[in-house]
Structure formats: C-alpha cells, structure tokens
Amino acid sequence: MSKDKSVVAMFAVDAAPRIKPSNYPEPFASRMQGREKRQLGDVFGLTNFGVNLTRLPPNSVSALRHEHSKQDEFIYILQGHPTLHTNEGRTQLSPGMCAGFKAGNGNAHNLVNETSDEVFYLEIGDRVAGDEGTYPDDDLMATQVQGTWKFTHKDGTPY
Amino acid sequence: MSKDKSVVAMFAVDAAPRIKPSNYPEPFASRMQGREKRQLGDVFGLTNFGVNLTRLPPNSVSALRHEHSKQDEFIYILQGHPTLHTNEGRTQLSPGMCAGFKAGNGNAHNLVNETSDEVFYLEIGDRVAGDEGTYPDDDLMATQVQGTWKFTHKDGTPY
C-alpha cells in the first residue's frame, strides 16, 4: 500500500493485505500459503522500519526458520497461540506475549500456527542496509541488493 | 532492564517498568506523572529500534506534543481510548487502531488519556543517529548527543 498522507490513524485490520504473498522462490513460496501481511508502517510512509499485522490461519507459518545478520526483529501476539520455533526448541505463545530477535545472534526463528484457530500478531523489523538472511533448515540464502532481497541456493547458484 | 539472554518470549506486562519516569527537565517531567513504560526491545537486546509497552492512567499523556527530525514512530492501541493530538486536531483511538509518524514531516503528536479508564499501547521508534525533537507547544528543544538526549530552551540556553 502506498503512503496516504490523509490517514491520521486507522484500524490495522482495515489496511489492504500485501499483494505478493511471498518473496521466496519455489518451493518455499508455496509453504507460505495462507499467511497474510498488512504493511502498516507503509500506510504512514515510514521507511526506517516496517510494522506488519500478520494473520496466520491454522497450519500456516510466519516464514522459513531464519535469522538476520543486521536486522533486529520483534513480535507481539494479538490473538491466538502460535508456536515459536528457535534453536532452543518450541515455545507456545499467547496473546500479550512478545519476543525479540537480535540481529546476528545466530538464533533462527519462525512462528507456526499448530492450532485450529487464527493467529494475529505484529512483527517489526528495521531496514539496515546490507542485511543477510540465513535459513538453517533449508537450502536457501538471502542477500539484500539495493534494498531488494536476492535468494540463492547455499552454494550461491540461483533459483 | 538489561538484556537477559535466557528470555525466549514473555508476557509484555511482566517486563519491569522503566525506573526513570521521564528524561524531560522540569517543569515538563512532572507532566508525565502516571505514565509507565516497559522497554520490551531492551529485554531481548534489540538496539536498532525500541518497543515500549506504555500505560497511561486517566489524565496522563504519552509525551509533550513533539516531532522527530530523523526517527520514525509507530503506535498500536491495545486497550482503552486515548486521544491523538496532531497538527490536524484530535482523533479518538480505540483498541486495534494504529498510527505512524514519519520523521521530518512536521506533524507534532502526542496521546492524551482523557477517559476514566487505563490505556495500554505499543510504541516503536528507531534509533537513527543525530535525531532532534521539536515541541511546538512548549519552550523546549531536544538534540541527541552521542545517544543521549540534551534538552534546552528554544534559544539554546540550558534548563
């Protein structure tokens, strides 16, 4: 959604969902099926960080399990009980819970909705240049080239 | 609160409130009475941006009405009905509503709890160097010197 200068405030659920469901190449993009992101920061023209309202229907995931080299991330659970997967294992979350992922700490993470109810959460990430994404469970690596993510196999060959 | 590497996730309300209620000099610090900030990003060692869970009891305010030269800000209302004051006037907010404040756009803002119920909201701001704060309603200006806010009168004389 492009910036609308006339918006002072809005209900987050009224923001339009992102049109492109995933930036991953296949076969990973299809694994994101059902996930829906509303890019709230963009509505207000923010550029230093992004804030998404993300909806995970049952059996969907937030992302491949990953960590960033430079981007800090933070999540706050609004509704439902997703499971946080990290290097340390599984942690069931509830509304009002939060977690943060410091760039470069090596702890890869994602959220999985293993319940039969919807999950809604806020996710925040900054936009430091030169970020890289690491995916311990998948043959994928991501590098930022002029603000756009480029995905390759771990040996550098393209998808 | 300092970083605790053992925390994977937590209930936001379980974070300890910030000890120093306000960084403003008097007479402005006293106007922040009642406001309570839980610095959630710090719990997880985040440094690129901050995330606070802020509680506003009745008749309290989020901050002096202000704008930042470099820091983007975003708020998400969790509970209660604060009034957002901007250059454009007053907007009553409700749970599930959000607003963003793009750095340098000249639109000064704060939240005022004009109700008889508590307000809880998330506030997010990045930490771009060289930020300045402008306060259209008060004889105050703020400049960041090596990560610490320095407050003066608008003519530059110290408080």
Side-chain angles (χ1 to χ4, degrees):
Chain A
M1 175 173 283
S2 63
K3 179 181 178 182
D4 179 349
K5 286 188 178 178
S6 68
V7 175
V8 175
M10 71 185 301
F11 281 98
V13 293
D14 288 343
R18 191 172 76 172
I19 293 167
K20 191 176 182 184
S22 170
N23 291 320
Y24 295 139
E26 291 296 353
F28 307 112
S30 294
R31 292 196 207 161
M32 300 303 117
Q33 198 160 15
R35 183 190 71 176
E36 199 174 63
K37 289 178 184 253
R38 290 173 163 81
Q39 297 173 285
L40 306 177
D42 290 6
V43 173
F44 300 98
L46 306 191
T47 53
N48 296 349
F49 57 86
V51 183
N52 295 333
L53 173 65
T54 303
R55 170 183 168 270
L56 296 183
N59 304 311
S60 65
V61 301
S62 65
L64 301 176
R65 201 166 71 87
H66 71 285
E67 59 128 347
H68 289 275
S69 63
K70 295 196 173 176
Q71 177 189 151
D72 286 354
E73 292 178 283
F74 184 90
I75 58 166
Y76 183 95
I77 309 302
L78 296 169
Q79 181 182 320
H81 298 272
T83 304
L84 173 61
H85 291 240
T86 68
N87 292 5
E88 291 136 4
R90 300 153 51 89
T91 306
Q92 181 152 5
L93 304 182
S94 297
M97 290 185 79
C98 61
F101 310 106
K102 179 62 196 150
N105 75 355
N107 198 355
H109 53 271
N110 71 348
L111 289 175
V112 184
N113 184 358
E114 300 169 352
T115 76
S116 54
D117 295 314
E118 286 193 330
V119 165
F120 281 89
Y121 67 98
L122 295 174
E123 57 185 3
I124 299 129
D126 61 78
R127 290 171 175 161
V128 174
D131 191 25
E132 294 181 352
T134 304
Y135 303 83
D137 307 332
D138 299 287
D139 179 19
L140 188 69
M141 54 184 271
T143 51
Q144 253 191 353
V145 181
Q146 294 178 330
T148 302
W149 286 107
K150 181 187 165 195
F151 293 95
T152 64
H153 292 272
K154 279 181 173 154
D155 65 6
T157 57
Y159 269 96
Chain B
M1 176 175 284
S2 64
K3 179 182 179 182
D4 179 349
K5 285 187 179 179
S6 68
V7 176
V8 175
M10 72 184 301
F11 281 99
V13 293
D14 288 343
R18 190 171 77 172
I19 292 168
K20 192 176 182 185
S22 169
N23 290 320
Y24 295 138
E26 292 296 354
F28 307 111
S30 295
R31 291 196 207 162
M32 301 303 117
Q33 196 158 17
R35 183 190 70 177
E36 199 174 63
K37 289 178 185 253
R38 291 173 163 81
Q39 297 172 288
L40 306 177
D42 290 4
V43 172
F44 300 98
L46 305 190
T47 53
N48 296 349
F49 57 85
V51 182
N52 295 331
L53 173 65
T54 302
R55 172 183 167 268
L56 296 184
N59 303 312
S60 65
V61 301
S62 65
L64 301 175
R65 201 165 71 87
H66 70 284
E67 59 129 346
H68 289 276
S69 63
K70 295 196 173 176
Q71 178 188 151
D72 286 354
E73 293 178 282
F74 184 90
I75 58 166
Y76 183 95
I77 308 302
L78 297 168
Q79 181 182 319
H81 298 272
T83 304
L84 173 61
H85 291 240
T86 68
N87 291 5
E88 291 136 3
R90 301 152 51 90
T91 306
Q92 180 153 5
L93 303 182
S94 297
M97 291 186 78
C98 61
F101 310 106
K102 179 63 197 147
N105 74 356
N107 198 354
H109 52 271
N110 70 348
L111 289 176
V112 184
N113 184 357
E114 299 169 353
T115 76
S116 54
D117 296 313
E118 284 192 333
V119 165
F120 282 88
Y121 67 98
L122 295 174
E123 58 184 3
I124 298 130
D126 62 78
R127 290 171 176 164
V128 175
D131 190 25
E132 295 182 351
T134 303
Y135 303 84
D137 307 331
D138 299 287
D139 180 19
L140 186 70
M141 55 185 272
T143 51
Q144 253 191 352
V145 180
Q146 295 179 331
T148 303
W149 286 106
K150 180 187 166 196
F151 293 95
T152 65
H153 292 272
K154 278 180 172 154
D155 66 6
T157 57
Y159 270 95

